[in-house]
Amino acid sequence: MNSRIQKLREDSISAVPEVSAERAALVTEYYKSVEGQDIPIPIKRASAFKHIMMNKELCILKGELIVGERGPSPKATPTYPEICIHSLDDLQVLDTRLKIPYKVSSDVKDIYQREIIPFWEGRSQRELIFKNMKEDWLAAYEAGVFTEFMEQRPPGHTALDDKIYKKGFLDFQKDIQASIGNIDENHPEARGKKDELEAMRISLDALIGFAERHAERLEEMARVEPDADRKKEIEEMVRVCRRVPANSPESFWEAIQYYWFVHIGIITEVNPWDAFNPGRLDQHLYPFYKQEIEAGTLTEERAKELLQALWIKFNNHPAPPKVGVTSKESSTYTDFALINLGGLKEDGSDAVNDLSYLILDVIGEMRLVQPSSMIQLSKKNPDRFIKHAIQIVRSGFGQPSVFNTDAIVQELMLQGKRLEDARTGGASGCVESGAFGKEAYILTGYFNIPKVLEIALHNGHDPRTGNKVGVETGDPSKFESFDQLYEAFEKQMKYFIDIKIIGNNIIDQLYARYLPVPFLSTMIDDCISEGKDYHDGGARYNTSYIQGVGLGSITDSLVSIKHNVFDRKTATMTEFQKALAEDFDGSPELHHAIMENTPKYGNDDDRADDIMKRVFNTYYGLIDGRPNSRGGQHRINLLPTTVHIYFGSVIGALPDGRKAGQPLSEGVSPVQGADRNGPTSVLRSAGKIDHIRTGGTLLNQKFTPQLLADDAGRNKLAHLIRGYFKMDGHHIQFNVVTAEALRKAQQEPEKHRDLIVRVAGYSDYFVDLAPELQEEIINRTEHQDL
Amino acid sequence: MTGERIQGNIFDIKRYAIHDGNGIRVTVFMRGCPLDCWWCHNPEGIRPRQAGQPGQSGQTTPHTSKAGQRSISVNELIQEVEKDLIFIDESGGGVTFSGGEPLMQPDFLINALEAFGKRYVHRTLDTSGFADTEVFASVLEHVDQVLFDLKLINEEEHAKYTGVSNDLILKNLRILDQSEKDVILRLPVIPGITDVESNIRAIGELVSTLENIDTLELLSYHATARAKYERLGVEFRMGDIVPVSERDLVSIKYTMESMGIKVIGGPE
């Protein structure tokens, strides 16, 4: 990378995340100014958005090529008081907590105390949600049976298709006008549609205005710029900011700047989950790249520089500050924009192009935690594509991860999507399959499957509090067969999943009614043509996910009871229950039998894997296809982010030998250290999951660098991945770092600030991780050659 | 079927074996070895020793109940190995018979090799080459690839460090050379024992007289087996010998290459 990029990159890495009160102040100012006025909610939201975009401070850094910051400076992170109002205590916690802190200045605290808290207290979406949840929901939430994604952040969870590369905002406004013209006055929702569409129009104006403000500022800068080359460059930036987003882009540079303006818009309008995502970046940018390279108006070097400038922009934008359970389930600065490379074209042919490789090189050179990156690997993609990706994986910062395009297409088709929408889709966030630009695929919360077993083992009670949180399914010591136990577990599962889904549907409606997102809606089909908001079922496809957590832990726990109590009769159920209550302190023999002589998921042992399939079918059967309030369905996926730590902390000892409070297994990976037959056995076990019925699964593998030291080793890893994908595996990611290196980093964090590891669907700085998570990553089996 | 009757004696089955032949393989470690190499990194596979007796037909080894060590039928073995068939197919891998010395159990070995052959699974034999020539020749008919150890050329030295003369081994090497199988010779680089200049030269000269075989892999010595010896309560004769340096490996490679040998492995 050249010196300009190097400088911007270093500044981005060293910038300290802080809370900026700018957005909170502007949104408050707007809402105060219209208090008492009868303005339709969507229009109010759009106008507030416009007020922010037209008045927020601009930030254009020295040497920048791509402009636009959400806050007044890199990593100055706004808050969204209309959604989640931070108390002074919250701000104190954010400022001082050990992991993932955000600096909070006394000025910010001051304005919060004077202006923001007094205005928003009692009005925020978060308060509204908790007020609307019933007792059984609150009891389950507090027991840690599930989490709730929407309590601090709106749904989000989507990615963009190619629409912005074909149309400017002025074109979208014409579409909006046409849609307004098409409204039948007799339609019962005619008024609502008109308001929503008008709101969309305003929100597009907001971004055009924001770009124009940049153009004006850049013009001023050009006038005083002493360096002739830079002056020319700034003049070009003025032209770019006047061209996009108002008009469709014509150059590579314009295309990138256009996306970035849209990104800033989406993450300023609200704080949506997973920020926003350009999706299939190599596909979208390739036509511009090819045309300009052929015309001689762009060099490979310049293209790379512009992409690097975009990468730095992503890195400048940490996730908005999270508190409470939400900060535990997603304890990271990463905001999950996941760049997709490769895969298939709309016509089903191999999509890998020159830009796919160029972007892989950018990923390898930039070594930033944001954006996340992945390759889509189809059986139609050439081997050199996966080999090139493995070269970068080998450098050991956990990127890119590898996804199975052919599985994703099948998953989306099974959910009823059109073939072309499936092929132009991919995975976003952690590992979630989606039809890019056309789907609201919302993660609603993690579901703690092993906790439900614990509750079943206590006849509906949570042993941590003694409270009855579930239903009475019988005293387990009276169970005469494993099936009886399983039935009790299944009943508890049904009970809690019903509660979760009822809650989801209420929360969906609260967002549809009180917190529309007109700007995001302009970017997702068919919100404009339907005149409906993204939060209100305006997207072509509307999916709600409940993310199952702890598949390895629940499998091994059930297998352990079956094997030791009912098959081998190593212990009675009463002895087992006593051992669990005592955290195995008084029963070392039983603990040994469980750890050493009990089948475990991850070893290609059907005695364990058959139970895994049974649990999968239970979870799938209870959720898949159940309607949500946006006209779509509930689906399942299996991923953890960092919630397996929190979920583990609310569970006592488990029958799989795990001690109280320890992390659960993550994603579809085996329990940490339970797999002892090497990577092919892990993949074979995970391959027995019916991945096609999910909207994404996450599998972690750790390799020592020596295994990938030579071509032969890397080729074999490529074969290993292809083999897993033949079994329809959805996703696999690698940590290529030695346990020894991680231990060193733990002891001397200050010397290892740059050590990036793969956590879940993202990479993070190792030293930023909570100690339990650090331990857990060290404990994930490190495959090495003997 | 004979596949059901004949039992093989193994001490481990390793999946995702990526250093024992082409592609991703499953390596079957057969128990029992007639050699007694000082540096052996699988001491748990040496016994029963049948010291100095080359592999002969009709030979079997006693059963044992030690963890990992077991007897297995050909059909059971096929089931185990083919769990990884998807990876074997994808990578052009297969099954590797190692040990111990697989040629100590020729009846089981031939049965297993034949069965895998019928199932289109690529077969590699990893051997010391110490077996009756008849046994060696008949096993050879059923393998696709041979990894053949060359340790020491001087017969006395060979006897000292491995417990047996290399006479049979060198005879079998000539048979192997005429078989036109895919062959990789493997030299364990043991500091002060096999890496001495005279041995390296002698190996080079020997290989240059072969008609078909021209590839040799350098296997670095690692002291990682020490813990195994301690666990087994067996004396570890290598003491504190440290692995050869990268520089020495490069120099061995250079010497070999100058004698017309294709060298793989060794320095990274």
Side-chain angles (χ1 to χ4, degrees):
Chain A
M1 76 191 80
N2 61 32
S3 58
R4 161 227 306 263
I5 295 294
Q6 214 169 335
K7 172 85 172 66
L8 287 166
R9 179 181 177 274
E10 273 161 22
D11 289 349
S12 179
I13 291 173
S14 59
V16 177
E18 59 173 316
V19 169
S20 157
E22 180 187 46
R23 184 190 176 283
L26 285 169
V27 78
T28 309
E29 186 176 82
Y30 171 79
Y31 271 85
K32 271 187 177 167
S33 75
V34 296
E35 229 180 347
Q37 294 180 34
D38 182 22
I39 302 171
I41 290 175
I43 294 181
K44 217 190 240 182
R45 293 293 310 154
S47 306
F49 176 55
K50 191 171 173 188
H51 185 71
I52 298 165
M53 298 320 274
M54 297 309 287
N55 292 288
K56 74 176 289 304
E57 211 179 297
L58 299 185
C59 166
I60 300 172
L61 300 168
K62 196 162 178 281
E64 271 195 318
L65 293 169
I66 301 298
V67 295
E69 282 287 325
R70 177 179 54 182
S73 61
K75 295 194 183 164
T77 312
T79 52
Y80 306 75
E82 71 274 37
I83 298 158
C84 168
I85 172 77
H86 294 108
S87 66
L88 290 177
D89 283 349
D90 288 338
L91 294 177
Q92 188 60 28
V93 168
L94 287 172
D95 193 25
T96 55
R97 67 187 177 197
L98 228 50
K99 297 291 175 180
I100 318 297
Y102 294 77
K103 240 172 40 192
V104 184
S105 68
S106 55
D107 285 354
V108 169
K109 285 180 192 157
D110 197 41
I111 188 171
Y112 253 77
Q113 189 168 17
R114 276 187 296 110
E115 305 269 340
I116 295 161
I117 296 174
F119 184 79
W120 290 105
E121 215 164 33
R123 300 190 196 202
S124 74
Q125 189 75 2
R126 188 183 197 201
E127 291 160 285
L128 184 68
I129 288 170
F130 281 117
K131 226 183 319 180
N132 275 277
M133 292 299 103
K134 287 192 281 187
E135 259 171 43
D136 54 2
W137 189 97
L138 291 167
Y141 178 77
E142 273 153 27
V145 176
F146 50 70
T147 67
E148 177 47 61
F149 261 44
M150 254 72 80
E151 58 107 10
Q152 293 177 34
R153 303 186 73 174
H157 278 119
T158 194
L160 193 57
D161 57 6
D162 61 356
K163 63 170 65 73
I164 63 168
Y165 309 99
K166 295 174 174 166
K167 285 182 173 183
F169 277 14
L170 297 174
D171 301 310
F172 290 124
Q173 285 184 328
K174 278 182 204 148
D175 293 344
I176 289 169
Q177 217 45 53
S179 186
I180 292 175
N182 287 339
I183 296 173
D184 174 359
E185 288 296 338
N186 295 315
H187 192 285
E189 291 168 25
R191 172 66 202 271
K193 283 177 189 286
K194 210 177 264 180
D195 290 344
E196 174 70 25
L197 287 162
E198 173 60 14
M200 290 185 199
R201 195 191 57 72
I202 295 168
S203 72
L204 292 174
D205 271 348
L207 251 271
I208 295 173
F210 185 61
E212 173 57 28
R213 289 180 64 208
H214 279 87
E216 284 163 15
R217 170 70 61 85
L218 285 160
E219 257 174 347
E220 286 165 28
M221 289 168 69
R223 267 198 291 276
V224 296
E225 175 60 51
D227 181 280
D229 286 346
R230 177 63 181 162
K231 187 183 170 79
K232 231 176 99 193
E233 213 168 52
I234 298 176
E235 281 165 356
E236 175 62 11
M237 289 163 77
V238 172
R239 204 194 55 73
V240 169
C241 291
R242 293 238 156 89
R243 170 93 206 164
V244 295
N247 307 285
S248 61
E250 284 174 339
S251 70
F252 191 74
W253 194 342
E254 286 169 9
I256 293 176
Q257 179 64 63
Y258 188 177
Y259 174 75
W260 188 250
F261 276 138
V262 170
H263 187 98
I264 289 294
I266 303 281
I267 65 171
T268 305
E269 180 180 39
V270 290
N271 53 339
W273 274 104
D274 296 350
F276 201 46
N277 184 346
R280 308 277 298 272
L281 196 62
D282 58 340
Q283 304 306 299
H284 302 328
L285 296 181
Y286 185 63
F288 301 98
Y289 177 77
K290 184 166 178 278
Q291 191 199 336
E292 280 206 77
I293 291 279
E294 279 167 10
T297 53
L298 180 74
T299 61
E300 195 182 298
E301 202 183 336
R302 182 62 153 185
K304 215 167 174 184
E305 190 182 22
L306 286 163
L307 287 164
Q308 289 170 332
L310 176 66
W311 251 243
I312 290 162
K313 278 297 177 194
F314 276 105
N315 199 62
N316 282 352
H317 291 78
K322 295 163 258 188
V323 293
V325 170
T326 296
S327 76
K328 290 182 183 167
E329 72 185 346
S330 182
S331 174
T332 173
Y333 290 125
T334 294
D335 215 8
F336 298 96
L338 178 62
I339 306 290
N340 281 227
L341 300 175
L344 296 173
K345 291 184 193 169
E346 190 172 348
D347 65 4
S349 61
D350 171 17
V352 172
N353 59 42
D354 291 350
L355 210 44
S356 319
Y357 295 99
L358 193 74
I359 296 177
L360 278 176
D361 290 339
V362 168
I363 294 164
E365 271 183 56
M366 296 308 280
R367 287 183 76 87
L368 292 169
V369 292
Q370 293 207 83
S372 302
S373 57
M374 63 93 126
I375 63 160
Q376 284 198 29
L377 183 67
S378 160
K379 61 191 173 206
K380 291 182 186 170
N381 297 142
D383 277 346
R384 61 171 174 268
F385 181 51
I386 174 74
K387 284 181 190 170
H388 198 73
I390 289 173
Q391 289 276 16
I392 291 157
V393 167
R394 186 197 163 211
S395 69
F397 75 114
Q399 295 203 36
S401 53
V402 188
F403 285 76
N404 182 355
T405 303
D406 307 309
I408 289 173
V409 170
Q410 283 188 73
E411 291 161 19
L412 294 173
M413 295 285 292
L414 183 68
Q415 296 178 354
K417 284 159 185 135
R418 296 177 203 160
L419 180 60
E420 61 273 23
D421 292 348
R423 283 177 177 156
T424 54
S428 66
C430 269
V431 296
E432 301 90 84
S433 302
F436 290 176
K438 295 156 191 87
E439 182 174 12
Y441 42 118
I442 294 167
L443 302 200
T444 67
Y446 294 111
F447 192 90
N448 191 345
I449 307 175
K451 179 76 191 175
V452 176
L453 176 66
E454 186 183 46
I455 292 168
L457 288 173
H458 292 85
N459 197 11
H461 292 75
D462 180 1
R464 205 164 54 109
T465 57
N467 295 341
K468 191 180 157 215
V469 293
V471 281
E472 282 177 24
T473 46
D475 174 1
S477 66
K478 306 243 160 60
F479 293 160
E480 281 163 12
S481 69
F482 175 71
D483 284 342
Q484 249 180 314
L485 172 81
Y486 195 85
E487 206 179 298
F489 164 69
E490 227 170 6
K491 272 190 196 148
Q492 302 285 357
M493 286 289 284
K494 179 169 184 343
Y495 174 75
F496 288 114
I497 284 169
D498 285 351
I499 291 173
K500 177 66 181 158
I501 288 181
I502 290 168
N504 282 353
N505 289 338
I506 294 170
I507 293 169
D508 258 7
Q509 291 174 63
L510 292 175
Y511 269 100
R513 192 171 309 159
Y514 297 109
L515 210 97
V517 277
F519 181 59
L520 173 59
S521 301
T522 62
M523 292 292 110
I524 304 297
D525 300 338
D526 303 309
C527 294
I528 291 179
S529 61
E530 294 290 321
K532 256 183 177 302
D533 193 83
Y534 179 85
H535 286 171
D536 192 22
R540 184 172 302 166
Y541 308 111
N542 291 281
T543 313
S544 299
Y545 282 104
I546 304 175
Q547 309 98 261
V549 175
L551 189 70
S553 299
I554 183 66
T555 299
D556 290 357
S557 293
L558 286 166
V559 171
S560 172
I561 296 176
K562 180 173 185 295
H563 186 81
N564 292 304
V565 176
F566 295 106
D567 295 351
R568 296 282 166 91
K569 303 196 171 25
T570 325
T572 64
M573 187 62 103
T574 311
E575 285 163 357
F576 222 114
Q577 283 172 301
K578 186 167 168 283
L580 293 179
E582 297 169 353
D583 207 12
F584 294 107
D585 278 348
S587 40
E589 292 91 3
L590 178 59
H591 195 253
H592 185 264
I594 292 169
M595 298 309 282
E596 300 302 326
N597 294 317
T598 301
K600 295 200 159 54
Y601 169 70
N603 294 292
D604 194 9
D605 180 342
D606 280 334
R607 289 175 299 173
D609 297 348
D610 284 346
I611 300 284
M612 179 279 290
K613 290 201 283 196
R614 192 165 171 186
V615 172
F616 176 90
N617 285 330
T618 296
Y619 192 62
Y620 176 81
L622 289 170
I623 294 173
D624 187 78
R626 291 181 61 175
N628 62 27
S629 72
R630 293 174 291 122
Q633 286 86 28
H634 280 86
R635 307 282 183 201
I636 66 161
N637 50 23
L638 301 164
L639 63 107
T641 314
T642 59
V643 82
H644 54 299
I645 308 280
Y646 162 64
F647 275 175
S649 75
V650 299
I651 309 181
L654 276 175
D656 72 342
R658 170 196 150 284
K659 299 284 180 80
Q662 294 299 303
L664 299 176
S665 65
E666 41 75 31
V668 298
S669 313
V671 167
Q672 298 76 358
D675 54 312
R676 297 178 182 182
N677 276 338
T680 57
S681 300
V682 174
L683 300 191
R684 279 268 303 168
S685 281
K688 291 172 196 172
I689 295 167
D690 195 348
H691 296 264
I692 303 302
R693 289 183 193 276
T694 75
T697 61
L698 182 146
L699 181 64
N700 255 309
Q701 287 280 277
K702 199 161 91 179
F703 278 79
T704 53
Q706 302 91 289
L707 263 187
L708 304 175
D710 59 2
D711 255 358
R714 290 191 290 270
N715 289 348
K716 283 168 191 183
L717 182 63
H719 294 310
L720 194 69
I721 295 168
R722 292 267 200 194
Y724 182 52
F725 286 0
K726 267 189 180 173
M727 295 185 280
D728 292 338
H730 173 89
H731 153 277
I732 187 165
Q733 64 188 22
F734 301 94
N735 260 321
V736 184
V737 59
T738 58
E740 199 187 353
L742 295 176
R743 285 268 175 239
K744 247 184 223 155
Q746 236 179 355
Q747 285 150 11
E748 303 173 300
E750 62 289 348
K751 285 190 190 159
H752 298 88
R753 286 235 43 116
D754 59 337
L755 180 60
I756 302 176
V757 293
R758 194 77 187 166
V759 183
Y762 66 104
S763 297
D764 215 336
Y765 290 106
F766 183 73
V767 298
D768 277 348
L769 302 175
E772 307 92 301
L773 192 55
Q774 291 183 342
E775 276 307 312
E776 198 248 313
I777 287 185
I778 293 171
N779 288 336
R780 279 180 199 165
T781 310
E782 180 183 76
H783 290 299
Q784 52 184 352
D785 202 40
L786 299 171
Chain B
M1 225 187 100
T2 49
E4 281 305 314
R5 273 202 337 268
I6 302 180
Q7 298 276 310
N9 206 310
I10 63 172
F11 68 91
D12 201 4
I13 293 179
K14 189 186 170 206
R15 296 163 72 169
Y16 199 62
I18 56 172
H19 296 294
D20 301 326
N22 306 330
I24 296 172
R25 313 190 71 82
V26 177
T27 297
V28 183
F29 291 91
M30 311 276 302
R31 228 180 127 228
C33 188
L35 274 64
D36 182 21
C37 306
W38 284 28
W39 53 85
C40 182
H41 63 275
N42 286 329
E44 72 273 36
I46 295 180
R47 292 192 180 133
R49 280 223 35 227
Q50 317 235 341
Q53 293 302 306
Q56 294 163 350
S57 54
Q59 198 165 315
T60 56
T61 48
H63 294 175
T64 163
S65 59
K66 250 192 177 168
Q69 313 205 345
R70 59 190 159 129
S71 71
I72 192 166
S73 73
V74 171
N75 284 349
E76 285 165 346
L77 184 63
I78 288 171
Q79 266 187 16
E80 275 292 309
V81 170
E82 291 196 353
K83 280 183 170 179
D84 274 0
L85 193 58
I86 208 159
F87 301 103
I88 290 172
D89 284 352
E90 184 59 45
S91 64
V95 61
T96 298
F97 288 88
S98 180
E101 173 50 64
L103 295 174
M104 290 266 289
Q105 304 178 55
D107 294 347
F108 174 79
L109 185 63
I110 289 172
N111 261 281
L113 288 168
E114 240 177 336
F116 280 115
K118 279 186 193 153
R119 304 175 74 88
Y120 300 92
V121 175
H122 180 271
R123 303 153 299 181
T124 296
L125 174 69
D126 176 14
T127 180
S128 67
F130 188 73
D132 282 354
T133 47
E134 254 171 66
V135 166
F136 187 76
S138 57
V139 169
L140 215 47
E141 283 174 37
H142 303 286
V143 299
D144 304 297
Q145 184 188 40
V146 180
L147 310 177
F148 193 96
D149 271 14
L150 267 189
K151 300 181 180 95
L152 289 154
I153 300 302
N154 178 295
E155 193 183 344
E156 271 173 45
E157 290 272 296
H158 197 278
K160 176 178 173 195
Y161 288 108
T162 73
V164 301
S165 149
N166 59 9
D167 182 40
L168 266 178
I169 296 173
L170 297 180
K171 246 188 232 168
N172 286 334
L173 179 60
R174 297 285 167 190
I175 295 174
L176 183 61
D177 190 39
Q178 295 306 311
S179 72
E180 295 186 14
K181 298 278 174 190
D182 173 15
V183 177
I184 298 172
L185 301 174
R186 307 225 279 189
L187 168 64
V189 183
I190 313 299
I193 302 176
T194 67
D195 73 338
V196 293
E197 174 81 15
S198 56
N199 191 47
I200 299 297
R201 290 257 156 221
I203 288 176
E205 278 156 23
L206 173 66
V207 176
S208 56
T209 66
L210 298 174
E211 277 176 43
N212 295 303
I213 301 172
D214 61 357
T215 308
L216 185 137
E217 184 175 6
L218 299 177
L219 301 176
S220 302
Y221 162 78
H222 294 295
T224 48
R226 175 194 297 273
K228 282 191 192 174
Y229 280 86
E230 280 165 13
R231 219 168 39 237
L232 292 167
V234 179
E235 186 204 353
F236 187 58
R237 288 163 290 182
M238 296 301 288
D240 291 324
I241 290 179
V242 291
V244 237
S245 70
E246 192 87 340
R247 228 180 59 202
D248 291 345
L249 276 178
V250 173
S251 122
I252 294 171
K253 186 177 158 124
Y254 183 77
T255 307
M256 295 269 188
E257 280 172 347
S258 72
M259 300 174 83
I261 300 171
K262 278 193 216 156
V263 180
I264 57 177
E268 276 161 10

